[in-house]
Amino acid sequence: MSQRVSRTDTSALVLPKKKEVTCRLDTENRQSTVHVIGTYLKASLKRSSPPRSKFFSVKCTANVQYSISPPTPGEPLSPIPLNGNSVLLISMSRASESENDSKLSVQYYGENKEVLGRAVLHLTAVEISLDVDADRDGVVEKNNVNKGSWKWGPNGHGAILLVNCDSEQKYRNKKPDWEHDFVTKVSDLKDMSVMVLRTRGPAKLPEGYKLTMHISQGHAESVRVFRSRSPGAKENTLLDKFLYTNFVKNYPLMLSRDVLSQEVPYLGGVAETTFHVEGLRFPDNDFNGLVNINLSLLEPIAHDIPETPIFTDTVVFRVAPWIMTPNTLQPVEVFVCNTADNNPFLKGMRNLVAKSGYKLKICQEYVNRGDRWMQDELEFGYIDSPHQQFPVVLDSPRDGKLQDFPYDELLGPDFGYVTRVAEREDVSSLDSFGNLEVSPPVTVNGKKYPLGRIIIGVAFPTATKGRNMTKVVQDFLWAQKVQEPIALFSDWLYVGHVDEFMTFVPAPNRKGFRLLLASPDAGYKLFRGLQSDGHGKAKMFDGQGGEETITVDEIIDDENLQAQNNYVQSCIDWNRDVLKRELGLDEEDIIDLPILFKLMTEGEEKEDGVLRAVAYYPDMVNMIVLGKNLGIPKPFGPKVNGRCALEAEICSLMEGLGLSCTFIDDFATYHKLLGEVHCGSNVRREPFDFKWWNLEM
Amino acid sequence: MSQRVSRTDTSALVLPKKKEVTCRLDTENRQSTVHVIGTYLKASLKRSSPPRSKFFSVKCTANVQYSISPPTPGEPLSPIPLNGNSVLLISMSRASESENDSKLSVQYYGENKEVLGRAVLHLTAVEISLDVDADRDGVVEKNNVNKGSWKWGPNGHGAILLVNCDSEQKYRNKKPDWEHDFVTKVSDLKDMSVMVLRTRGPAKLPEGYKLTMHISQGHAESVRVFRSRSPGAKENTLLDKFLYTNFVKNYPLMLSRDVLSQEVPYLGGVAETTFHVEGLRFPDNDFNGLVNINLSLLEPIAHDIPETPIFTDTVVFRVAPWIMTPNTLQPVEVFVCNTADNNPFLKGMRNLVAKSGYKLKICQEYVNRGDRWMQDELEFGYIDSPHQQFPVVLDSPRDGKLQDFPYDELLGPDFGYVTRVAEREDVSSLDSFGNLEVSPPVTVNGKKYPLGRIIIGVAFPTATKGRNMTKVVQDFLWAQKVQEPIALFSDWLYVGHVDEFMTFVPAPNRKGFRLLLASPDAGYKLFRGLQSDGHGKAKMFDGQGGEETITVDEIIDDENLQAQNNYVQSCIDWNRDVLKRELGLDEEDIIDLPILFKLMTEGEEKEDGVLRAVAYYPDMVNMIVLGKNLGIPKPFGPKVNGRCALEAEICSLMEGLGLSCTFIDDFATYHKLLGEVHCGSNVRREPFDFKWWNLEM
């Protein structure tokens, strides 16, 4: 069988379980070997036959089976003609009670059937199995035939490993557990995968034979193995007893980057040794997520000469991907910042979250230092396995003044942390995680995405220059595989985030959600409707202290603004076409929200002279979605009969879906700083019920 | 359709050919757009309808087709009820003769069928197709439906690109052509792939529309595009005429690492523009070999605002892999070194090569500076495409005194060069290319390897320390994909090369070849046979001046040597089991050659105290294979009736395959320096008839 070596670890020697092991027969010296149940020993009959041998015969003890290939007819036990390519296939069906308790001998004869020599092979049979939870039920079964390969899907197989990226410590010296090369607490063991070595055989192995566990250099970057001391380990002294309370001693490090190979004690009789396997890094551009661990039986040759492996058992783990949670999943906690100036916003959010019944976590000013963009600094996700599951925060390379929040405030017991470090000069506004979203589950031309698809914004490919999400983050997202990303064009926006023109809300029908898109055309349609209904003199921004008002007529008459919005609509339409195709959406799955933009070249962007878009009034699509409650930037639109026409339109569109709209005043302290409600908040959600390993890939 | 972005270029925006393009209808302003034949324009009827619209009707010129979705029953041309989600699908079937020569209009009506407004869309239809040789017949066909994807196999598709790694220059300023960002000679064009832009439409595009060719940053590392000046390009002055003889001007650089996007002139009427595409690097760990090139039609929006693409055509190329040539392919040239001391060897090689009828190339001492290991410094291979094929030397990171030979002496017109650079401290003896071989074509459990499988030697995975082939070379070999490598265990050898214990020779039957393996067991069997036939006193190394002789009896009596050879046999048997499984071999496909080894810990290896093997007498498996003629290290074995018993045995084994053995004396100047005939020579061979793109992957 062809055995593929992972491209990311080509240093690995091909090491499939050996079904056939060449062994030596020798008429000069007594030979002995250890046979592993389930394999065959294969011996060339000719290779070690004495000179002038013409016939041979074979004898063996009861526990030994043999066959001759090619088959030779003839009486059992009577001399058989020796053929140049005759091979003896030897196997045994149960483990030995004692060393060398079985035997096979070959007698060679000359032309006249005179005995020329006799080769004797002493045999010790053992059962050896390195076991993992290859059937993903949380239990380490015995010798699963599929334990050495990994297959996606409900009929798939292969064990799962978590990156041990939470911290059992909450405060002192806190760092992700994988950064320690010892077991910090017993509770840390549940973040690891159990692996069991099961053996059966005589009390000890014949002299010089040993078991060794080993990994390749490449895989050692991604995995660490600890051993559980066997319950029967002796505690000789009081000091020993004391030391056993020390986890380092109770769970000695078995394999790591520095120890690629280590002997494992053979315990004798029927025995089990438990190991705990810890993932050290997430799948990435240079790591496909698969890790092999090998257990070999080594045969001694002679003093001072290295042993050779005669049997290798291999198990494979896949490191669980980091998974994002779309707006359609149940919220758990809502995060916002308290800044000196954002009281109206905070009040609105407090009411909304309380009404919805979720937890509100407020990041205080001494932590956020005035950085209010809670959406942009981090993305909540989780990791999942049959034995353990916990949330993991992805920390953005953006690194505003909120940069310490994810590590200092979120990392902890059963709350993981991961980040990707980029060069300062490679980081742009597109690396903020307002530019990283995920769709609800979709099916696209028959292909299922039960965990949805990640959505990011990048530069337009036809542009001669442009900003992009940094490569290290993009590589990380693509490498997780289970929420295959879609790249949209967001560089046309001044801030450049996809959440400025799109979001998803739950819906009771169709695909279970709607895609909401900002739409200048819908905006103009609404304003023209107001005009033709005689509300042309109604004012925007009325009552919003300090902001100059503008009438519906003035907006419609501004030809420059119309041209700019035609451009914005064409950019959004381009993304709309991509989203329809990549998410398999129909027109009926999309709702256009009436939002106008304007173009600007201010600030640092001035030099490249490129005009980019910002919302003309609070960007209602940039909302927070909490179950059926939406927190929407209050648009301060023109009033008709005392009611904001923009709010009325949104409410009418959302109410049809059973959603309730709460408008939150973010004008002065978010909108004017080029962000809105979504940019200023974040939501941790429940994980999917769907298990990622059941994906069909 | 889901469009996968290559993992190695996640910066690429998803850009499938757009089948449906959202377009705008506007009752206020006249709209016009360019329509690309083969796509649909899709307009929301509701989005730009005047307030209070209840009905609509559609009219269009003869060249325009439309449909309404969802379908609405009713009289053509009579007002149709306006539905919230009604969409107009517009297409055209032939290119326009002049700008805006077609038209579609939508009239909107109120409740009482009074006309409320009319949206007019002026249309210009064009045909645009970026074409490549996607069916691999050497001709660039028109608009192949599969040009945007790549599929292996005889029923596959997708264009092919060569790394332009030869040098049109032979001496002055020689470097691989891909290092120049201009076309050095007209002859260089045949190393590139032709790409054609075909357009049909009016004499010019409507104002502001333009064509642009673009690639992603990631792909720009791997590809460069030149444009052919159209034959009709004007030569206005004598200076122009002069400049046109300059290739830079005749083949201007279109796309490169520094120019990711560039406008392509639209020529009008029925036109073709030719491009030449050049590969810059081989598939590797971080490059899967696939490269996309895009051609977009950009639509203007307004002055000072960036254009948006309304149509994108994409072609894909796969960079041809570097392919090795096994011993079963026809030799072309044999390379050896002339050193101060190697006359007997050179004489033997000269005779053998002359007899076989191939070219002998001797690398003289002023070039090799005493480094005689021609096998180790380089590996010959080739690259292949439907339009071009040439040999390519892979230069080892070994870098002995022969290090300049591949670049200085081999690189040239239609002779390519590639290397991988490793850190000095990462390079070991296992990086010499005596440790890089390739099998003949094999079929393994039904899986075909029509180009054979690469074979390398690495450290044993159970060893706590060991030498390895450096990662950059292993990554390169695995990334070529078409000769999936097999990693053997070669670190047990002092020098550590797979060619010390194995080779392949052609055979008239079975799989067309035999695997030859060094076998201490076969050696002892032969020596015991000699002893039992009364030749125990026959001497090895007799007549080999300066070498101490040893008798057959003495060899057999040396128990330490026997133990060492048992170890060697077990190492070779381990590899034998791997080779049988990975190449699908039977016992009958393998021939064991009688070769003894001994272990040593000398020199730099002393410190790690590991015993490693060297050949006890000239290592006959380390041979050169030239068709049916084998050049074999002369073993200086014990003589029986005046004839060397080892030579006699090899001849008898090889003659059965129709092979002729020539024994070459390499004792003093190769064997004693721990190498043999194969280590001291290299063979460039004919490429396979089989085309790599016909592989089923």
Side-chain angles (χ1 to χ4, degrees):
Chain A
M1 197 104 49
S2 161
Q3 172 92 356
R4 281 198 75 83
V5 173
S6 135
R7 252 188 67 216
T8 55
D9 184 31
T10 53
S11 62
L13 193 59
V14 174
L15 257 190
K17 192 161 185 164
K18 294 176 78 177
K19 291 294 178 207
E20 290 181 357
V21 184
T22 296
C23 79
R24 309 179 66 250
L25 295 174
D26 191 332
T27 54
E28 305 290 315
N29 304 290
R30 169 201 143 123
Q31 297 286 309
S32 68
T33 193
V34 171
H35 169 72
V36 179
I37 307 282
T39 68
Y40 292 92
L41 292 167
K42 199 166 184 176
S44 161
L45 283 161
K46 182 83 183 177
R47 200 202 261 182
S48 47
S49 61
R52 290 189 298 272
S53 300
K54 295 286 182 231
F55 298 91
F56 71 97
S57 63
V58 184
K59 278 205 311 197
C60 62
T61 54
N63 188 21
V64 180
Q65 294 86 43
Y66 73 89
S67 65
I68 296 158
S69 158
T72 331
E75 282 293 300
L77 300 184
S78 78
I80 301 161
L82 183 60
N83 178 312
N85 290 312
S86 283
V87 164
L88 199 58
L89 271 176
I90 307 159
S91 65
M92 295 171 70
S93 49
R94 59 172 204 279
S96 294
E97 307 269 312
S98 59
E99 297 169 58
N100 294 319
D101 65 0
S102 302
K103 199 166 79 170
L104 173 139
S105 64
V106 177
Q107 195 145 284
Y108 291 100
Y109 310 86
E111 192 124 25
N112 304 313
K113 310 242 167 130
E114 75 279 20
V115 173
L116 295 180
R118 184 155 173 265
V120 180
L121 180 63
H122 294 265
L123 290 161
T124 308
V126 293
E127 283 178 31
I128 298 173
S129 174
L130 186 62
D131 289 333
V132 290
D133 177 17
D135 60 3
R136 305 164 181 167
D137 63 356
V139 178
V140 176
E141 66 274 13
K142 191 172 177 186
N143 213 1
N144 189 311
V145 289
N146 293 314
K147 66 188 181 183
S149 63
W150 212 96
K151 192 180 158 205
W152 294 92
N155 300 317
H157 55 258
I160 289 158
L161 201 58
L162 297 179
V163 178
N164 198 357
C165 62
D166 70 336
S167 168
E168 299 304 314
Q169 314 290 333
K170 201 152 169 66
Y171 298 105
R172 207 159 56 92
N173 298 327
K174 182 172 76 169
K175 48 183 179 177
D177 293 329
W178 67 264
E179 292 189 26
H180 297 283
D181 65 356
F182 54 88
V183 177
T184 52
K185 286 187 170 186
V186 172
S187 60
D188 197 25
L189 295 176
K190 69 184 186 332
D191 302 336
M192 305 188 193
S193 299
V194 173
M195 180 170 73
V196 178
L197 172 62
R198 294 186 168 107
T199 54
R200 181 193 289 259
K204 63 187 195 64
L205 293 176
E207 177 76 19
Y209 284 84
K210 59 189 185 194
L211 296 173
T212 186
M213 186 176 287
H214 51 101
I215 48 177
S216 71
Q217 185 87 51
H219 289 181
E221 304 289 317
S222 311
V223 72
R224 204 183 272 133
V225 180
F226 298 96
R227 178 158 69 86
S228 260
R229 283 208 176 270
S230 63
K234 283 174 198 150
E235 294 170 24
N236 285 321
T237 65
L238 268 177
L239 180 63
D240 275 355
K241 199 146 193 166
F242 170 76
L243 286 174
Y244 281 140
T245 64
N246 175 320
F247 299 109
V248 183
K249 186 127 191 203
N250 267 340
Y251 301 97
L253 182 60
M254 187 74 202
L255 296 178
S256 70
R257 184 189 299 211
D258 300 321
V259 186
L260 298 182
S261 173
Q262 193 169 158
E263 185 175 349
V264 186
Y266 171 82
L267 297 174
V270 178
E272 293 196 353
T273 309
T274 300
F275 300 88
H276 301 277
V277 187
E278 172 179 51
L280 305 183
R281 57 178 189 140
F282 281 92
D284 212 328
N285 199 18
D286 59 349
F287 174 45
N288 67 5
L290 295 173
V291 174
N292 292 335
I293 300 176
N294 311 290
L295 190 284
S296 287
L297 174 64
L298 303 186
E299 183 167 66
I301 304 296
H303 187 62
D304 271 349
I305 290 178
E307 305 93 349
T308 49
I310 54 171
F311 169 80
T312 297
D313 206 11
T314 298
V315 294
V316 62
F317 288 96
R318 183 183 289 277
V319 173
W322 179 77
I323 299 173
M324 285 177 62
T325 53
N327 283 350
T328 45
L329 288 174
Q330 181 75 359
V332 180
E333 295 176 312
V334 177
F335 292 79
V336 290
C337 288
N338 183 2
T339 62
D341 57 4
N342 72 344
N343 234 332
F345 171 81
L346 263 191
K347 201 179 142 194
M349 290 297 289
R350 228 186 277 270
N351 289 339
L352 172 68
V353 176
K355 181 172 82 177
S356 310
Y358 307 116
K359 263 185 266 179
L360 181 68
K361 294 257 177 119
I362 295 179
C363 171
Q364 296 301 337
E365 204 168 357
Y366 72 93
V367 175
N368 67 52
R369 293 172 292 176
D371 183 353
R372 68 200 64 205
W373 308 115
M374 182 55 86
Q375 180 67 217
D376 291 338
E377 189 53 47
L378 61 97
E379 188 75 34
F380 288 109
Y382 68 98
I383 56 176
D384 198 5
S385 72
H387 56 280
Q388 175 70 314
Q389 176 192 72
F390 53 73
V392 177
V393 60
L394 175 64
D395 188 1
S396 162
R398 164 189 185 260
D399 290 351
K401 288 184 173 162
L402 264 171
Q403 68 170 312
D404 296 334
F405 177 75
Y407 197 99
D408 289 351
E409 307 290 321
L410 298 175
L411 170 64
D414 291 347
F415 207 119
Y417 173 93
V418 60
T419 189
R420 282 299 175 268
V421 179
E423 296 294 326
R424 202 72 217 150
E425 64 270 24
D426 292 340
V427 175
S428 75
S429 175
L430 272 65
D431 289 303
S432 290
F433 287 166
N435 197 31
L436 169 61
E437 300 299 319
V438 64
S439 81
V442 290
T443 300
V444 187
N445 293 329
K447 180 166 180 192
K448 287 181 184 164
Y449 297 90
L451 302 173
R453 296 187 68 178
I454 288 172
I455 292 168
I456 62 166
V458 300
F460 210 73
T462 54
T464 44
K465 45 190 163 182
R467 299 167 300 172
N468 235 315
M469 182 175 273
T470 187
K471 185 170 186 302
V472 288
V473 173
Q474 287 202 48
D475 284 348
F476 174 82
L477 296 174
W478 255 271
Q480 305 314 306
K481 278 191 182 163
V482 297
Q483 299 179 304
E484 189 186 339
I486 301 168
L488 296 180
F489 168 41
S490 70
D491 189 36
W492 59 275
L493 287 151
Y494 186 89
V495 174
H497 300 173
V498 293
D499 71 349
E500 296 178 79
F501 67 88
M502 60 167 288
T503 192
F504 297 95
V505 293
N509 53 12
R510 298 189 55 83
K511 303 185 167 68
F513 69 89
R514 293 288 187 283
L515 167 64
L516 307 189
L517 287 176
S519 169
D521 276 1
Y524 274 101
K525 191 174 156 64
L526 182 136
F527 286 112
R528 287 210 185 87
L530 291 177
Q531 190 181 48
S532 81
D533 288 347
H535 302 291
K537 298 285 177 269
K539 287 175 193 160
M540 291 226 54
F541 308 132
D542 199 15
Q544 185 53 34
E547 191 67 18
E548 222 172 291
T549 60
I550 184 167
T551 66
V552 169
D553 289 342
E554 284 166 339
I555 286 174
I556 292 173
D557 290 347
D558 185 341
E559 287 185 13
N560 188 33
L561 186 66
Q562 170 78 64
Q564 293 182 355
N565 275 286
N566 286 354
Y567 168 64
V568 167
Q569 186 66 59
S570 70
C571 291
I572 296 175
D573 280 347
W574 196 93
N575 286 310
R576 180 193 178 96
D577 290 344
V578 173
L579 284 165
K580 282 179 69 174
R581 187 174 56 238
E582 297 294 329
L583 297 178
L585 304 184
D586 301 315
E587 279 298 318
E588 292 72 17
D589 297 316
I590 304 178
I591 296 176
D592 292 316
L593 301 189
I595 297 163
L596 301 191
F597 290 79
K598 63 186 174 185
L599 302 188
M600 55 188 260
T601 56
E602 276 170 278
E604 52 172 326
E605 305 299 325
K606 198 156 196 174
E607 278 172 45
D608 71 0
V610 176
L611 287 162
R612 292 195 168 103
V614 298
Y616 186 78
Y617 47 82
D619 185 3
M620 296 175 293
V621 80
N622 193 274
M623 64 178 64
I624 182 172
V625 180
L626 300 174
K628 290 184 180 301
N629 292 318
L630 311 180
I632 301 172
K634 189 172 175 59
F636 294 97
K639 287 191 177 139
V640 173
N641 304 325
R643 190 176 180 203
C644 169
L646 290 168
E647 290 188 18
E649 171 72 4
I650 301 290
C651 286
S652 121
L653 290 168
M654 296 299 105
E655 277 160 11
L657 301 172
L659 300 173
S660 150
C661 302
T662 301
F663 291 91
I664 292 170
D665 179 2
D666 71 354
F667 201 96
T669 57
Y670 290 83
H671 172 69
K672 295 296 280 181
L673 302 175
L674 308 183
E676 312 279 0
V677 171
H678 188 257
C679 309
S681 62
N682 217 320
V683 183
R684 182 165 77 81
R685 298 178 187 275
E686 294 287 356
F688 284 99
D689 289 335
F690 183 88
K691 298 302 182 183
W692 62 266
W693 52 88
N694 286 330
L695 269 172
E696 310 267 13
M697 297 287 261
Chain B
M1 199 102 53
S2 163
Q3 172 90 356
R4 279 197 77 83
V5 173
S6 131
R7 251 187 69 216
T8 56
D9 182 31
T10 53
S11 64
L13 192 58
V14 174
L15 257 191
K17 191 162 183 162
K18 294 176 79 178
K19 290 294 180 210
E20 289 181 359
V21 185
T22 295
C23 79
R24 309 179 66 247
L25 294 174
D26 191 331
T27 54
E28 305 289 315
N29 303 289
R30 171 199 139 125
Q31 298 284 308
S32 68
T33 193
V34 172
H35 170 72
V36 180
I37 308 281
T39 68
Y40 291 93
L41 291 167
K42 199 167 186 177
S44 161
L45 282 162
K46 182 85 183 174
R47 201 202 262 183
S48 46
S49 60
R52 290 188 300 271
S53 300
K54 296 285 183 233
F55 299 91
F56 71 97
S57 63
V58 184
K59 278 206 308 198
C60 62
T61 54
N63 189 19
V64 181
Q65 294 86 43
Y66 72 90
S67 64
I68 295 158
S69 158
T72 331
E75 280 294 299
L77 300 184
S78 77
I80 301 161
L82 183 59
N83 179 310
N85 289 312
S86 285
V87 164
L88 197 60
L89 271 176
I90 307 159
S91 64
M92 294 171 69
S93 49
R94 59 172 203 277
S96 295
E97 306 272 313
S98 58
E99 297 170 55
N100 293 319
D101 65 0
S102 302
K103 200 166 79 171
L104 174 140
S105 64
V106 177
Q107 193 145 284
Y108 291 99
Y109 309 88
E111 191 125 24
N112 305 312
K113 310 249 172 120
E114 74 280 20
V115 174
L116 295 179
R118 185 157 174 263
V120 180
L121 180 62
H122 294 264
L123 291 160
T124 308
V126 293
E127 283 179 30
I128 299 173
S129 174
L130 187 62
D131 290 333
V132 291
D133 177 18
D135 60 1
R136 304 164 181 169
D137 64 356
V139 177
V140 176
E141 67 275 13
K142 190 171 175 187
N143 213 2
N144 189 312
V145 290
N146 293 316
K147 67 189 180 182
S149 63
W150 213 96
K151 193 181 158 203
W152 294 91
N155 299 318
H157 55 259
I160 289 157
L161 201 58
L162 296 179
V163 178
N164 199 355
C165 61
D166 71 337
S167 168
E168 298 304 313
Q169 314 289 333
K170 201 153 170 69
Y171 299 106
R172 204 161 56 92
N173 298 326
K174 183 171 75 169
K175 50 183 179 177
D177 293 329
W178 68 264
E179 292 189 25
H180 298 282
D181 66 355
F182 53 88
V183 176
T184 52
K185 284 186 171 188
V186 172
S187 60
D188 197 24
L189 296 176
K190 67 184 191 328
D191 302 336
M192 304 188 193
S193 298
V194 174
M195 180 170 73
V196 178
L197 171 62
R198 293 183 169 109
T199 56
R200 179 193 290 260
K204 64 187 197 60
L205 292 176
E207 178 74 20
Y209 284 85
K210 58 190 186 193
L211 296 172
T212 186
M213 187 177 286
H214 51 101
I215 48 179
S216 71
Q217 185 87 51
H219 289 181
E221 304 290 317
S222 311
V223 72
R224 204 183 273 134
V225 181
F226 298 96
R227 178 157 69 88
S228 262
R229 281 209 177 269
S230 65
K234 283 175 200 152
E235 295 171 23
N236 285 321
T237 64
L238 269 175
L239 181 62
D240 275 356
K241 200 147 194 166
F242 171 77
L243 286 173
Y244 282 138
T245 63
N246 175 322
F247 299 110
V248 182
K249 185 124 193 209
N250 267 340
Y251 301 99
L253 182 60
M254 188 73 203
L255 295 178
S256 70
R257 185 188 299 212
D258 300 321
V259 186
L260 299 181
S261 173
Q262 193 170 155
E263 186 176 348
V264 185
Y266 170 80
L267 298 175
V270 179
E272 293 196 353
T273 309
T274 300
F275 301 88
H276 301 277
V277 187
E278 173 179 50
L280 306 183
R281 58 178 192 141
F282 281 93
D284 211 330
N285 199 18
D286 58 349
F287 175 45
N288 66 6
L290 293 174
V291 174
N292 292 335
I293 300 177
N294 311 290
L295 191 284
S296 287
L297 174 64
L298 303 187
E299 184 167 65
I301 304 295
H303 187 63
D304 269 352
I305 291 178
E307 303 94 349
T308 49
I310 55 172
F311 169 81
T312 297
D313 207 13
T314 299
V315 294
V316 62
F317 288 96
R318 183 183 288 278
V319 174
W322 178 79
I323 300 171
M324 287 178 60
T325 53
N327 283 351
T328 44
L329 288 175
Q330 182 73 359
V332 180
E333 296 177 311
V334 177
F335 293 78
V336 290
C337 287
N338 183 3
T339 61
D341 57 4
N342 72 343
N343 234 334
F345 171 79
L346 263 192
K347 200 177 141 195
M349 289 297 289
R350 226 188 277 274
N351 289 341
L352 171 69
V353 176
K355 180 172 82 177
S356 311
Y358 308 115
K359 265 186 265 179
L360 181 68
K361 294 256 177 120
I362 296 179
C363 171
Q364 296 302 339
E365 205 170 356
Y366 71 93
V367 174
N368 68 51
R369 293 171 291 177
D371 183 354
R372 68 200 66 207
W373 308 114
M374 181 57 84
Q375 180 66 218
D376 290 339
E377 189 53 47
L378 60 98
E379 189 74 35
F380 289 110
Y382 68 97
I383 57 177
D384 197 2
S385 72
H387 56 281
Q388 175 69 315
Q389 177 192 70
F390 53 75
V392 177
V393 61
L394 175 64
D395 188 2
S396 162
R398 161 191 188 259
D399 290 351
K401 287 183 175 164
L402 262 171
Q403 68 170 312
D404 296 333
F405 177 75
Y407 197 98
D408 289 351
E409 307 291 323
L410 296 175
L411 170 63
D414 291 347
F415 207 119
Y417 173 93
V418 60
T419 190
R420 282 296 175 268
V421 179
E423 296 294 324
R424 202 71 220 150
E425 65 268 24
D426 292 339
V427 176
S428 74
S429 175
L430 272 63
D431 289 301
S432 290
F433 287 168
N435 197 31
L436 169 62
E437 300 300 320
V438 63
S439 82
V442 290
T443 299
V444 187
N445 294 329
K447 180 167 180 190
K448 288 180 185 165
Y449 296 92
L451 303 172
R453 296 187 68 177
I454 288 172
I455 292 168
I456 62 167
V458 299
F460 211 74
T462 54
T464 44
K465 46 191 161 181
R467 298 167 299 172
N468 235 314
M469 182 175 275
T470 187
K471 186 172 185 301
V472 288
V473 173
Q474 288 203 49
D475 284 346
F476 174 83
L477 296 174
W478 255 271
Q480 305 313 306
K481 278 191 181 163
V482 297
Q483 299 179 304
E484 189 186 337
I486 301 167
L488 295 180
F489 168 41
S490 70
D491 189 37
W492 58 275
L493 287 149
Y494 185 88
V495 173
H497 299 174
V498 293
D499 71 350
E500 296 178 80
F501 66 86
M502 60 166 290
T503 192
F504 297 96
V505 294
N509 54 11
R510 297 189 55 83
K511 303 184 168 69
F513 69 91
R514 293 288 188 283
L515 167 64
L516 307 189
L517 287 176
S519 169
D521 276 1
Y524 274 100
K525 190 173 159 63
L526 182 136
F527 286 112
R528 290 212 181 85
L530 291 177
Q531 192 181 46
S532 81
D533 288 346
H535 303 291
K537 298 285 178 269
K539 286 177 193 158
M540 290 227 55
F541 308 132
D542 200 13
Q544 184 53 35
E547 191 66 19
E548 223 173 291
T549 60
I550 184 166
T551 65
V552 169
D553 289 343
E554 284 165 339
I555 286 174
I556 292 173
D557 289 348
D558 184 342
E559 286 186 13
N560 188 33
L561 186 67
Q562 170 79 64
Q564 293 182 355
N565 275 285
N566 287 354
Y567 168 63
V568 168
Q569 186 67 59
S570 71
C571 293
I572 295 175
D573 280 346
W574 196 92
N575 287 310
R576 180 192 177 98
D577 290 344
V578 173
L579 285 164
K580 282 179 70 174
R581 187 173 57 236
E582 297 295 327
L583 298 177
L585 304 183
D586 302 315
E587 279 298 319
E588 292 72 15
D589 298 314
I590 304 177
I591 296 176
D592 292 315
L593 302 189
I595 298 163
L596 300 191
F597 290 80
K598 63 186 175 186
L599 301 188
M600 55 187 262
T601 54
E602 276 169 276
E604 51 169 328
E605 306 300 325
K606 196 156 195 172
E607 278 173 40
D608 71 0
V610 176
L611 287 162
R612 292 195 168 103
V614 298
Y616 187 77
Y617 46 82
D619 185 1
M620 295 176 292
V621 80
N622 193 275
M623 63 178 65
I624 183 172
V625 180
L626 300 174
K628 290 181 179 304
N629 292 318
L630 311 179
I632 301 173
K634 188 174 175 62
F636 294 97
K639 289 195 177 136
V640 172
N641 303 324
R643 188 174 182 205
C644 169
L646 290 168
E647 290 188 20
E649 171 73 2
I650 300 290
C651 287
S652 121
L653 290 168
M654 295 299 107
E655 277 159 11
L657 301 172
L659 301 173
S660 150
C661 301
T662 301
F663 292 91
I664 293 171
D665 179 2
D666 71 354
F667 201 94
T669 59
Y670 290 82
H671 172 68
K672 295 296 280 180
L673 302 174
L674 308 183
E676 311 279 0
V677 169
H678 188 257
C679 309
S681 61
N682 217 319
V683 184
R684 182 165 78 80
R685 298 178 187 275
E686 294 286 357
F688 283 99
D689 290 333
F690 183 88
K691 298 302 182 184
W692 62 267
W693 52 88
N694 285 331
L695 268 172
E696 311 266 14
M697 297 286 262

